[in-house]
Amino acid sequence: MPAEIPDFIPRRALITGAAGGLGREVALQLARRGCAVAITDINGEGLTETARQIGQIGAEAEIIVSDFTLEGAPEAAVEKVVARWRGIDILVNNAGYGVIEPFLDATYKAWTRTLALNVTALAMACKAAGRVMREQRSGRIVNITSPGSRMALPDYTAYTASKAGVDSITRAAAVALAPHGVLVNSLAPGMMDTEMQRSTELDLARANGRADLQAFLDERTRRIPLGRRAEISEVAEAVVWLCLDAPKYMTAERLNMSGGLDKD
């Protein structure tokens, strides 16, 4: 029998990496759309601020301070959401980690940390939420990937490899959950003004011997066909669209939002 994707209003969401940046903005936009939002991150102070802003909107928030690289942490976070709201409708895997290291000087520590958070933790979160959604026969999962997953970036290989893993997990999870009415898609945002992006580009400038950081940033921005970097709010709008409004026949898809950098 074909999967029946129900007409339902998602109300219970879990957002990872929500202490700031894109994760916080996604949480706030979902709250404005009437969702109860569980937010998780290793940064408890940042989560408290995100929860405060959600409260100002008048929505419910659940703070889960957690290191998703620890075994069982993603599953425990999903369990907390289910315990509070008796289910989970939305999972946004936004948490990410990456460092600049020339490929020939790459360290085991950086590789394992990057893959632990960006790949293993994401897969375990998809599994845990997917099992609940399978029983509900409804739900949407959105994974944050990167244009870099399809680029050769020798100073950033652990990160780009991890995002290629996200692409693969998204496809596999989508096929596994499709018979149960659950949609799994990904979003690949380009350059935007987040703390992680700024830190990465500062390290990249140093690795390439570029002392004038602003000139380096301007040069990278000029490579974007639209001629500017993305606003965090507009990237979050695309994530929320995938969570709430995307067509019910859309699954296993990668939505590019890079201003024309990623053209596939």
Side-chain angles (χ1 to χ4, degrees):
M1 294 292 292
E4 181 179 344
I5 310 297
D7 289 312
F8 80 112
I9 302 175
R11 286 288 182 254
R12 302 159 295 185
L14 172 61
I15 317 300
T16 75
L22 179 60
R24 174 179 290 169
E25 182 63 24
V26 169
L28 293 173
Q29 290 196 21
L30 285 173
R32 293 187 191 105
R33 293 285 298 272
C35 294
V37 184
I39 49 176
T40 184
D41 202 292
I42 199 170
N43 178 355
E45 184 176 340
L47 287 179
T48 299
E49 175 57 23
T50 302
R52 185 190 69 80
Q53 294 184 33
I54 291 172
Q56 289 181 327
I57 295 169
E60 291 185 74
E62 174 78 14
I63 293 176
I64 305 171
V65 181
S66 179
D67 181 353
F68 264 37
T69 64
L70 300 178
E71 184 177 1
E75 294 90 337
V78 171
E79 288 173 4
K80 287 185 178 180
V81 177
V82 174
R84 176 161 181 176
W85 294 312
R86 299 189 179 183
I88 181 170
D89 303 313
I90 296 166
L91 169 65
V92 178
N93 278 306
N94 168 72
Y97 176 80
V99 294
I100 296 297
E101 283 187 340
F103 180 70
L104 296 180
D105 298 319
T107 63
Y108 181 83
K109 180 179 179 180
W111 269 89
T112 53
R113 171 70 179 174
T114 302
L115 296 176
L117 182 59
N118 296 3
V119 178
T120 304
L122 179 142
M124 295 301 100
C126 285
K127 177 202 70 174
R131 286 180 170 177
V132 179
M133 293 174 178
R134 176 183 62 187
E135 299 307 311
Q136 296 173 172
R137 298 197 64 80
S138 65
R140 297 196 178 197
I141 297 174
V142 179
N143 297 324
I144 304 303
T145 182
S146 168
S149 70
R150 302 193 288 206
M151 297 178 181
L153 300 177
D155 290 326
Y156 211 28
T157 308
Y159 180 81
T160 57
S162 74
K163 291 303 183 178
V166 172
D167 293 345
S168 179
I169 293 164
T170 299
R171 292 189 295 267
V175 172
L177 290 167
H180 309 289
V182 180
L183 308 179
V184 186
N185 295 292
S186 68
L187 177 74
M191 287 181 270
M192 53 184 168
D193 186 22
T194 65
E195 183 178 345
M196 181 176 176
Q197 180 79 45
R198 289 192 297 270
S199 175
T200 297
E201 292 196 88
L202 176 60
D203 290 343
L204 188 60
R206 289 170 175 165
N208 286 274
R210 300 291 296 273
D212 189 336
L213 177 60
Q214 191 57 53
F216 179 75
L217 295 177
D218 292 344
E219 179 183 305
R220 284 170 58 81
T221 301
R222 285 194 294 270
R223 298 176 190 169
I224 304 170
L226 279 181
R228 67 173 179 86
R229 292 167 181 252
E231 298 288 338
I232 295 174
S233 60
E234 60 189 344
V235 176
E237 287 173 5
V239 176
V240 171
W241 180 80
L242 287 170
C243 292
L244 300 177
D245 303 317
K248 295 187 294 182
Y249 200 63
M250 180 177 174
T251 197
E253 293 296 336
R254 170 189 164 114
L255 182 63
N256 294 321
M257 192 175 181
S258 61
L261 274 177
D262 194 340
K263 303 173 184 62
D264 184 6

